[in-house]
Amino acid sequence: MTNHTTTALVTGGAGLLGSAITRTLSGAGHRLVITYQRDADRAEALAADLRANGTPALALPFDLADPTAARTLLHSIDQSGFAPVNILVNNAIPQTDARRPGFATFTEAEDAGWRNLVRHNVEGTLDLIRAVLPGMRAAGPGRIVSISSSLVHEGMPGAVAYTAAKAALHGASRSLAWEVGPDGITVNLVTPGLIASERAEQMLGDAIAGVTAGTPIGRLVTAAEVAAAVGFLVSPGAAGITAAEVVVDGGKN
C-alpha cells in the first residue's frame, strides 16, 4: 500500500490528531482524502501542503449527522479519481465534556443533545463504513481503524453520551472484523489517552501534574504517537492484527 496507488480516507483529518494521522499516512505513500465539517480553510490548507510535498490529496465536506453524507462523500471521491478507499480512519467525532456549558451531567443534558451525540456519531460512522466496504472489498486488502478514547475505560462525569458513542464502535469493530476478515480487511481500534495540547493544559489547569503522575511515562501522549499506532495498523505488516484495540495512553490503563 505505497507509492500513492492507495487511498486513505481520514475523517476529521485536519484537527490536532487528524492532521498527525494524515501526515503519517502521507509519509507511508498513500493518497489522502481529508474530511471536515466546519473548518474548510484548515482542511484545504493541509491538503494543499500535502500536494506541494508530492502527496495527492483532497479536502471534502462530511457531516456525521447527515444520513446522505457518506454516499455523497464516496461519490465525490470517485469523481475525483481517488476511488476506491483502501484505508478508512474514523477519527471525526465531537467531544462533549463536563466543562462545556449546556452538557453538564447526563441527567441535566437536553434530550436532543445526548441522543444526537450518540445517534449521529455511531450511525454516521457505520454509514461511512458501509459506503466504503464494497470498493474496499473489490480492491483488497483493506484497513479500517476507528479512534476511540481512554474514557471508555476510565469514565468521566459529563461524558456519558460521548463514551457511549465510542464504546459502541468497540463492539461494532470486533463483529465487523469477523465479517470482512476473509476479504483481507482488518478492523481495529486505537484508543488514545489525553493528548498533549494547549486545550488539554487549559482544561486541566493545575491538575495536569496529577494526571501525568498517574502514567508510567510521566507525561501526556502526543498526537504523533497516536498517529504512529494508526500507521502501523494500516501497514502490510499488520495484516494479522484485527478485532484488536491498541491503547496509547502512556500506560495509564
Side-chain angles (χ1 to χ4, degrees):
M1 295 186 183
T2 57
N3 301 321
H4 301 144
T5 59
T6 51
T7 296
L9 168 58
V10 183
T11 64
L16 173 67
L17 178 55
S19 60
I21 294 170
T22 295
R23 292 190 182 281
T24 294
L25 299 186
S26 170
H30 305 292
R31 298 176 296 195
L32 267 301
V33 177
I34 308 160
T35 76
Y36 62 88
Q37 183 178 355
R38 295 185 183 88
D39 200 342
D41 291 343
R42 186 176 184 179
E44 292 286 1
L46 176 56
D49 183 61
L50 293 174
R51 290 193 295 269
N53 286 280
T55 296
L58 291 174
L60 296 171
F62 176 62
D63 184 354
L64 286 164
D66 181 355
T68 68
R71 293 190 297 275
T72 300
L73 174 62
L74 266 292
H75 177 73
S76 297
I77 292 172
D78 183 55
Q79 292 297 302
S80 300
F82 276 61
V85 173
N86 309 97
I87 296 167
L88 170 61
V89 181
N90 295 305
N91 174 63
I93 182 170
Q95 180 174 347
T96 304
D97 57 46
R99 289 176 170 80
R100 183 172 300 180
F103 202 97
T105 66
F106 185 54
T107 54
E108 295 171 345
E110 295 181 359
D111 286 344
W114 78 263
R115 288 181 187 276
N116 287 341
L117 180 61
V118 174
R119 180 175 296 131
H120 293 164
N121 289 292
V122 175
E123 294 180 0
T125 299
L126 295 181
D127 276 341
L128 182 56
I129 292 172
R130 280 169 57 89
V132 163
L133 271 177
M136 185 181 287
R137 270 180 159 141
R143 302 284 186 267
I144 299 173
V145 177
S146 294
I147 305 301
S148 183
S149 168
S150 62
L151 292 180
V152 170
H153 302 294
E154 300 167 11
M156 186 182 80
V160 173
Y162 174 73
T163 52
K166 288 295 190 183
L169 296 181
H170 285 237
S173 296
R174 291 185 176 113
S175 293
L176 182 63
W178 283 90
E179 293 189 12
V180 300
D183 301 307
I185 299 172
T186 64
V187 187
N188 293 293
L189 297 129
V190 170
T191 300
L194 190 61
I195 296 173
S197 65
E198 290 184 9
R199 180 177 180 274
E201 292 179 2
Q202 294 170 356
M203 184 175 73
L204 292 173
D206 294 338
I208 195 167
V211 173
T212 56
T215 67
I217 64 173
R219 61 173 176 80
L220 301 181
V221 297
T222 68
E225 289 166 339
V226 179
V230 175
F232 170 66
L233 288 174
V234 304
S235 71
I241 302 173
T242 194
E245 176 189 13
V246 177
V247 179
V248 187
D249 67 351
K252 185 176 182 181
N253 287 289

